[in-house]
Amino acid sequence: MSNTPHQLITDFPDLADKISTLKLEDAHFSRLMDDYNELNDQVHLAESNINPMEDLALTELRKKRMALKDELYGILTAPT
């Protein structure tokens, strides 16, 4: 989905090169990013009423997405 909000490269454009590099070179980062993208897609589909869900379930997905985003951002900004 190209119009899905909260894509990491869109949210952190200054880290786009590092995101691309880590996605290719770091299996753990790549797995976390895949998990984040899957959750992000689920949230987007629910918010767009394409795949509606109860508010509590959507809130839990948003919390998981934010936790993954925080973890990914921590990896991206960690000193090398």
Side-chain angles (χ1 to χ4, degrees):
M1 270 180 211
S2 61
N3 294 335
T4 305
H6 299 287
Q7 295 292 322
L8 287 181
I9 290 178
T10 304
D11 287 353
F12 307 124
D14 54 321
L15 297 171
D17 289 341
K18 193 165 187 180
I19 291 169
S20 296
T21 299
L22 286 173
K23 178 92 170 131
L24 294 173
E25 297 176 359
D26 184 325
H28 177 67
F29 181 87
S30 181
R31 199 167 30 259
L32 288 175
M33 191 156 167
D34 289 344
D35 292 345
Y36 175 84
N37 288 332
E38 182 179 326
L39 277 172
N40 194 42
D41 288 344
Q42 290 176 18
V43 170
H44 176 66
L45 291 173
E47 290 175 341
S48 301
N49 283 322
I50 295 169
N51 186 18
M53 63 177 59
E54 293 182 11
D55 288 342
L56 183 58
L58 180 55
T59 298
E60 288 302 313
L61 284 180
R62 286 179 179 147
K63 287 179 184 179
K64 288 178 184 178
R65 178 181 66 181
M66 184 56 70
L68 274 173
K69 189 175 201 175
D70 288 345
E71 186 174 354
L72 288 162
Y73 185 75
I75 294 169
L76 288 165
T77 58
T80 55

